Amino acid sequence: MLLNVQDLHVSYGAIRAVHGVSFEVDEGEIVTLIGANGAGKSTILNTIAGLLSPNSGRITYQGQDIGGLDAHKVVQRGLALVPEGRRIFGNLTVSENLRLAGYQLQADERARRMKRVFELFPRLGERRDQLGDTLSGGEQQMLAVGRALVTGGHLMLLDEPSMGLAPILVQHIFSILKEINAQGTTILLVEQNAHMALKIAQRAYVLETGHIVLSGPAAQLASNPDVQKAYLGA
Amino acid sequence: MSTLRQTVSRWLAPLRRQLGRTPVLAFMLAFLLAVLLEQQVGENFAKSLEFRKIPKFFGLVDIFEPFSDLDFSGILAPFFPSPSMDVETPIQDSGAAIGELVSTFWNALFYQGARNPGFFSVLVRVLVYDIVIFIVPILILALLLRGPTLWVLQRLPRWLALALHLGALYVVLMLWGADGGTRELILIYMGINIMLSASLNLVNGYMGEFSVGHAGFMAVGAYVSSVLTMVFFTNSSVFGPALLSPDLGLPFGFIIALLAGGVAAALAGLLVAFPSFRTRGDYLAIVTLAINFIVTGVINNMEVVGGPRGLNGVPLWTNLTWIFLFTVLSIAAIYNLVNSTLGKGIIAIREDEIASSLMGVNTRKLKLVAFLVSSFIAGVAGGLFAHQLAYVNPGNFGILKSTEALVMVYLGGMGSISGSIIAAVIFTILIEALRPLAVLKWVVIPLILILLMLFRPQGLFGFRELKLNLGLRPKPTQGQPTETEASDAAAAD
C-alpha cells in the first residue's frame, strides 16, 4: 500500500469539511475521488500535500506518517500535487516554471526530468521561452502536470485537471496521465468530471459532504445506477 | 519632427555603436582623467563662466538655487492669521502674496545679475561647464582607451577584472568625491540610500511582500551602533569616558558596532518575519508599519538614549571609504542571494506561495532569510547614517524615511538591483538639487512619482537588470548570458 488515509478529519475553523474519510492507494494504480462541489475532495488532497493540517486521522505514505508535515517536506517524500486552478507562475517562462519545480534537485537530475517533460509534452518544448500567462488553458494544465513530474512525484495528486478545458484537451490530458501512470507514477485523481475519471481509473471513491459513500472498481461504479444518476448524467 | 529625430539619431548612430562597444572601465578611466582636468583648469574655467567656484556636483546642486527665495507661506497665512498678524481681507492679502510669488518666480527664472543669476542662465552655464570639462573629454578619452582596456581586460582572470572595476570605481570616488564637502556628503547619502533601496527591494521586489517600515530597522541599527561606539570608544557627555580605548575605535570598533547594529536590526526583522508566516499582502504591510512605529516609540521613551531629544556626540566616523566598502558588500550579498537557489525560491514565493511550497520551497525559511538579510543591511545603513550625522533622533527614522526607501524601490523597479542602485543615485541627487525649493520639494518629488506610475508603472528597470559592457571574457560554460559585475548589473535569469 502506497498511501493510506485513515479516519481523516479536516476543518476550516468551525466549518468541518472532511469527517472520517478513509481510503488507500496502491502502488501503480490510478485512483479517483469523485463527488460534487463542496464534497471535500480538494480538502483531502490539500491535506495530504501538507497545505492543510488534519484535525485527526492518519495519513501514511510508504508506511510513514506524513499527516501534518509542511508541504515542502511532503514533497521530499515523493508526493507531488497538481493544485486546483493549476497555479502556474504566470510571469515566468515555461522553462523557468519547470526549473523552479526542481527546486530541491541537483542540476543534472533536474535537466533529465525537464527533458522527459518536453518529450511527453512537445507543445511545452515549443513554448519553453513563453511566459506562463500567455499559454492556453490546455498548455497551462500540461505545464502544471509537467511541473509535478519535475518535482518528482512517485505519487501524483491531481486536483481537477479537466477544469475549464475543452473536451478534446481533457481527453489529451487524460491520455497523458495514463501514459505517465504506465511509466510508473501512481496517480490519485480528484475530479468533477466523473465520466472521464472513471474511464481511466482502476478504483474510485465517491464523496458526499465529507464522507465516502461508495467505493469499488471504477468500471463497477460507472455502471452503478446511483452513480450514473448523480454524477454521470444518465 | 520625426524626420528631425531620425536625422539626429542617424547622425548619432555610429557614436552610439562605438560607445556601446566601449567597456565601462574605459569610461571610468576617462572620468578619472576628466577629474584631473577639472583639478587643473576647473577653477579658472568656472570663474570665466562667472561661477564663484567650481559648480557643486556637476552643477546639479546649483541649478535650483535661484528658486530659494520662493515663499509659499504668504498664500495661506492670511486665512489662518496668528494673533499678532493684522489681516483685513485674507483674499486680498493672499492675492498679493501670489503676485509676489509670481514675480519672485519670474526673477528666479530670468533675473540677470552677478549675485542672483536666473535659472536659465545657471542652467546654460552649468551645461557648458559639464560639456567642456566632463562630457566631451570623457567621450573622447573613453574611445581612445577602449582598445587598451579591452586588451587588458580580456587577458585577466574574471575575478581580477572585477576587482579592477571596483578598484577603479573606488579611485574615482576618492579622487573626485572625497572633498570633505558637498560631493562627499551627497556620495555618502547615495551609498546609504543604495543600501536601503536594494535591501528593501529584496523583500518588496523579489519576495513580493509590501514592507513599509524599513526605517524602523535603520533606527535599530543606528541606535545600537551609536550606543556601542559611544560607550566603548568615545569619551562622551552622555555615557562618560570610553570603556575601551578610543584608539581602538577605528577601524575595528566601528566595524563591530556596525555589524552589531545590523544584527540587532535583523532581530527586529524577526518581528516582521514571524507574522509573515501567517499573513501577507496588505495585512503584513500594516504589521511592518506598526513595527516602524513601535521602534520609534520605544526610542522616544528611552531616556538613556535621550528620548525624543536624540543622542548627541556620535563619533563622526563614516566616510566615503566605509560607505564604499559596505555598499559594495551589501550589493554583492543581495546579488548573490537573489541569484542563488534560495533566491529562486524567494522569487517563487512572490509568484505563488502555495505553488512554491508544493515544489519543495521552504517558504518559512526563505521568508526568514529575506527579512533577516534585508533588515540587517538596513541596520548597517542606519549605523553609517548615524556616524555621518553625529546625532541621531527618532524623528529621523519615521514613516517619511520609510517612504523614501519605498520611492526609491518603485522608481528603480521591483526585482531589479541595478534599478535600485540607479534610483537611489537619482533620488539622492534630486533631493539635494531640489533642496533650495524647500517645501516645494515635497510637491515636486511626489509629482515625479505620480508621473512615473502613470507612464512607467514598472519603474525604470522593473524585473530586469541593466546590462553593462564590462568587456570581460565570456564564461567558458555555454548558454550563459553575458556575465556582469556584481555591484553593477546582471542578467535577470
Side-chain angles (χ1 to χ4, degrees):
Chain A
M1 203 186 314
L2 191 63
L3 177 78
N4 186 15
V5 175
Q6 282 289 333
D7 195 28
L8 185 70
H9 291 258
V10 190
S11 55
Y12 298 95
I15 302 158
R16 290 167 51 193
V18 173
H19 12 125
V21 165
S22 303
F23 66 92
E24 57 193 49
V25 179
D26 282 325
E27 184 80 47
E29 274 189 313
I30 299 182
V31 174
T32 181
L33 303 178
I34 56 176
N37 260 337
K41 306 174 307 254
S42 299
T43 308
I44 293 173
L45 279 202
N46 288 344
T47 311
I48 296 171
L51 294 175
L52 299 170
S53 47
N55 293 7
S56 64
R58 272 174 70 83
I59 305 171
T60 51
Y61 177 73
Q62 292 176 330
Q64 284 175 309
D65 194 352
I66 59 164
L69 279 186
D70 280 343
H72 67 95
K73 293 216 173 101
V74 173
V75 168
Q76 290 169 352
R77 304 286 174 94
L79 281 88
L81 169 67
V82 180
E84 185 175 2
R86 311 187 261 272
R87 288 191 173 270
I88 62 165
F89 300 129
N91 292 324
L92 304 182
T93 66
V94 168
S95 51
E96 283 169 338
N97 266 274
L98 293 173
R99 222 176 299 150
L100 269 176
Y103 178 76
Q104 294 185 333
L105 302 176
Q106 298 291 326
D108 50 341
E109 176 65 15
R110 180 168 57 221
R112 205 179 57 73
R113 293 188 188 179
M114 281 173 67
K115 195 163 156 254
R116 179 178 168 219
V117 170
F118 288 139
E119 281 164 11
L120 273 171
F121 300 105
R123 277 287 272 287
L124 292 182
E126 289 162 24
R127 281 154 212 255
R128 65 176 74 206
D129 293 324
Q130 217 168 301
L131 292 185
D133 269 343
T134 65
L135 298 179
S136 72
E139 289 160 352
Q140 289 190 354
Q141 189 63 57
M142 292 176 199
L143 181 54
V145 172
R147 269 194 334 194
L149 281 173
V150 173
T151 305
H154 188 60
L155 170 61
M156 190 186 285
L157 313 169
L158 290 118
D159 197 348
E160 304 271 4
S162 73
M163 195 167 74
L165 297 188
I168 180 122
L169 282 170
V170 176
Q171 292 212 343
H172 180 60
I173 297 277
F174 274 63
S175 73
I176 288 185
L177 291 182
K178 262 193 123 154
E179 194 177 329
I180 294 169
N181 177 248
Q183 292 176 9
T185 304
T186 309
I187 289 176
L188 173 58
L189 175 67
V190 149
E191 261 299 345
Q192 285 198 49
N193 186 341
H195 196 68
M196 287 301 296
L198 290 175
K199 231 188 218 168
I200 69 163
Q202 280 107 46
R203 289 191 306 113
Y205 294 87
V206 181
L207 271 167
E208 262 171 33
T209 59
H211 296 278
I212 286 179
V213 293
L214 267 175
S215 64
Q220 194 184 323
L221 283 186
S223 56
N224 179 316
D226 289 341
V227 173
Q228 283 189 340
K229 205 166 142 195
Y231 301 106
L232 299 176
Chain B
M1 194 60 195
S2 72
T3 51
L4 177 70
R5 194 187 294 170
Q6 279 168 9
T7 322
V8 170
S9 73
R10 202 177 312 134
W11 256 61
L12 290 178
L15 182 66
R16 284 178 58 178
R17 204 164 40 240
Q18 295 299 323
L19 292 177
R21 287 192 211 131
T22 310
V24 176
L25 191 62
F27 284 104
M28 286 199 232
L29 295 176
F31 182 68
L32 209 60
L33 294 170
V35 169
L36 294 174
L37 175 73
E38 188 188 34
Q39 283 176 355
Q40 292 300 312
V41 302
E43 188 99 36
N44 288 330
F45 186 61
K47 288 225 167 88
S48 72
L49 285 171
E50 294 185 353
F51 285 114
R52 263 165 286 165
K53 46 190 179 228
I54 290 180
K56 291 179 201 153
F57 217 91
F58 306 115
L60 292 170
V61 181
D62 297 86
I63 324 180
F64 293 98
E65 200 66 52
F67 295 109
S68 55
D69 291 335
L70 295 186
D71 175 22
F72 290 87
S73 60
I75 301 171
L76 284 179
F79 293 98
F80 312 100
S82 61
S84 61
M85 259 176 98
D86 180 27
V87 180
E88 288 288 310
T89 43
I91 305 269
Q92 263 180 29
D93 284 16
S94 178
I98 292 178
E100 199 170 311
L101 187 68
V102 169
S103 87
T104 322
F105 185 69
W106 188 259
N107 282 340
L109 282 183
F110 297 110
Y111 182 70
Q112 295 287 336
R115 295 215 136 254
N116 300 313
F119 167 76
F120 287 116
S121 148
V122 178
L123 182 66
V124 168
R125 287 180 295 139
V126 160
L127 279 177
V128 170
Y129 182 86
D130 283 345
I131 289 174
V132 172
I133 299 286
F134 289 107
I135 298 177
V136 169
I138 287 177
L139 290 184
I140 294 172
L141 289 168
L143 290 177
L144 289 177
L145 287 168
R146 182 179 71 189
T149 43
L150 274 176
W151 190 87
V152 172
L153 283 171
Q154 307 267 326
R155 272 156 191 78
L156 291 177
R158 293 181 52 82
W159 66 269
L160 198 58
L162 290 178
L164 192 62
H165 281 87
L166 286 178
L169 183 60
Y170 179 68
V171 171
V172 164
L173 284 178
M174 289 311 283
L175 201 64
W176 179 76
D179 63 345
T182 320
R183 283 180 197 161
E184 185 162 2
L185 204 64
I186 294 180
L187 288 174
I188 284 175
Y189 285 138
M190 219 176 248
I192 292 171
N193 282 337
I194 288 172
M195 289 170 73
L196 283 181
S197 63
S199 60
L200 184 61
N201 209 337
L202 179 60
V203 167
N204 285 31
Y206 287 95
M207 199 164 67
E209 288 299 352
F210 192 60
S211 169
V212 296
H214 213 46
F217 306 122
M218 207 185 161
V220 173
Y223 268 87
V224 168
S225 62
S226 301
V227 168
L228 286 178
T229 53
M230 286 173 73
V231 167
F232 288 105
F233 308 109
T234 324
N235 300 316
S236 69
S237 56
V238 188
F239 300 112
L243 284 186
L244 300 173
S245 160
D247 304 334
L248 293 173
L250 285 173
F252 303 107
F254 193 31
I255 290 184
I256 291 167
L258 286 175
L259 295 182
V263 170
L267 292 178
L270 289 179
L271 293 177
V272 180
F274 284 121
S276 79
F277 295 162
R278 300 195 58 102
T279 183
R280 62 176 315 176
D282 301 350
Y283 304 102
L284 189 65
I286 293 169
V287 172
T288 62
L289 185 62
I291 282 165
N292 196 163
F293 279 108
I294 290 172
V295 168
T296 50
V298 166
I299 296 171
N300 263 317
N301 287 291
M302 278 172 71
E303 266 310 306
V304 198
V305 292
R309 278 170 290 116
L311 190 57
N312 239 320
V314 183
L316 263 176
W317 283 348
T318 301
N319 60 25
L320 215 44
T321 307
W322 288 105
I323 288 285
F324 180 77
L325 180 71
F326 279 102
T327 306
V328 168
L329 286 178
S330 304
I331 294 297
I334 296 173
Y335 174 84
N336 281 320
L337 175 59
V338 300
N339 285 292
S340 70
T341 309
L342 282 184
K344 302 290 172 216
I346 289 174
I347 292 168
I349 291 177
R350 172 185 79 205
E351 294 295 323
D352 189 325
E353 189 172 342
I354 289 180
S356 64
S357 70
L358 289 175
M359 297 172 180
V361 175
N362 185 346
T363 55
R364 291 182 179 196
K365 181 175 137 199
L366 291 197
K367 283 178 177 180
L368 264 181
V369 168
F371 277 113
L372 286 179
V373 170
S374 170
S375 46
F376 177 87
I377 292 174
V380 173
L384 289 164
F385 182 64
H387 289 80
Q388 149 65 31
L389 283 182
Y391 166 70
V392 276
N393 174 332
N396 288 338
F397 306 106
I399 187 72
L400 198 63
K401 193 81 190 173
S402 296
T403 312
E404 280 183 19
L406 281 173
V407 169
M408 287 186 280
V409 168
Y410 291 98
L411 174 67
M414 296 205 292
S416 166
I417 296 175
S418 44
S420 278
I421 295 173
I422 290 167
V425 168
I426 293 175
F427 186 78
T428 316
I429 293 176
L430 212 55
I431 289 274
E432 291 304 319
L434 295 180
R435 197 173 284 284
L437 298 187
V439 192
L440 197 59
K441 185 169 79 172
W442 293 112
V443 177
V444 173
I445 289 174
L447 203 64
I448 294 172
L449 201 61
I450 291 173
L451 290 175
L452 183 81
M453 288 298 122
L454 279 177
F455 295 107
R456 207 175 162 81
Q458 75 275 33
L460 298 173
F461 294 94
F463 304 113
R464 294 210 322 269
E465 295 290 354
L466 176 69
K467 284 180 191 163
L468 291 178
N469 174 2
L470 294 178
L472 298 184
R473 232 177 351 188
K475 256 192 178 172
T477 49
Q478 52 152 339
Q480 286 281 325
T482 330
E483 279 302 317
T484 43
E485 181 186 2
S487 69
D488 283 60
D493 186 4

